[in-house]
Amino acid sequence: MSENCLFCKIANGAIPSKKVYEDEEFFAFHDINPAAPVHLLLIPKRHIVSLADIQPEDGAWLGRMMALVPKLAYAHGCNPGPQGGFRLVANTGIEGGQEIDHLHFHIIGGARPWDKRAAPAA
Ligand code: AMP
Ligand code: ZN
């Protein structure tokens, strides 16, 4: 827990969120400003700033975090199969577009009718 960290406060319930998943290590919730029909954020409960801080010894918990991604994506509206899928984004650092300094995965997906590639074949 890092004081004044928004995502630490969300993970410990001090700030409300639209939670979709929680276990001992991880917490997932809806992004407050969704960029697509499905836009989840998955965070570790431990405070780690970004992927720039990851070390080889973080591999085990990071692997567990990765394994949650497709489970959460498909449980919360991302479509299965090659026409479906999702996008995984981890903005890292200022030049990487990171605004919240607590590691988070954006899980983005859902049908986007305005995306021509997503439209059914004519
Ligand atoms: P990033 O630019 O990768 O740091 O993304 C931060 C994300 O956190 C943005 O997509 C915001 O919309 C989202 N966000 C900020 N505050 C909240 C909040 N209180 N609850 C849910 N999502 C939030
Ligand atoms: Zn934090």
Side-chain angles (χ1 to χ4, degrees):
M1 166 85 192
S2 172
E3 281 187 36
N4 299 321
C5 172
L6 175 66
F7 284 178
C8 281
K9 289 178 183 169
I10 285 179
N12 71 21
I15 288 181
S17 67
K18 288 170 69 179
K19 179 171 90 171
V20 296
Y21 179 82
E22 179 175 13
D23 64 23
E24 286 177 6
E25 294 182 291
F26 307 109
F27 193 96
F29 53 104
H30 288 277
D31 194 293
I32 205 167
N33 185 22
V38 178
H39 191 165
L40 306 176
L41 297 174
L42 172 60
I43 64 175
K45 288 185 170 178
R46 73 170 74 181
H47 182 82
I48 178 162
V49 172
S50 77
L51 283 183
D53 298 311
I54 292 296
Q55 302 297 327
E57 53 268 31
D58 294 310
W61 69 261
L62 201 57
R64 291 192 290 276
M65 188 171 170
M66 290 295 293
L68 278 173
V69 170
K71 289 191 170 64
L72 292 172
Y74 294 126
H76 295 282
C78 293
N79 295 306
Q83 294 296 319
F86 55 86
R87 177 178 296 168
L88 179 64
V89 174
N91 296 328
T92 302
I94 290 183
E95 292 185 359
Q98 184 175 10
E99 293 180 357
I100 309 284
D101 287 337
H102 180 130
L103 175 67
H104 51 283
F105 287 170
H106 296 256
I107 303 169
I108 297 167
R112 273 157 283 182
W114 57 90
D115 182 348
K116 288 197 170 47
R117 291 181 312 141

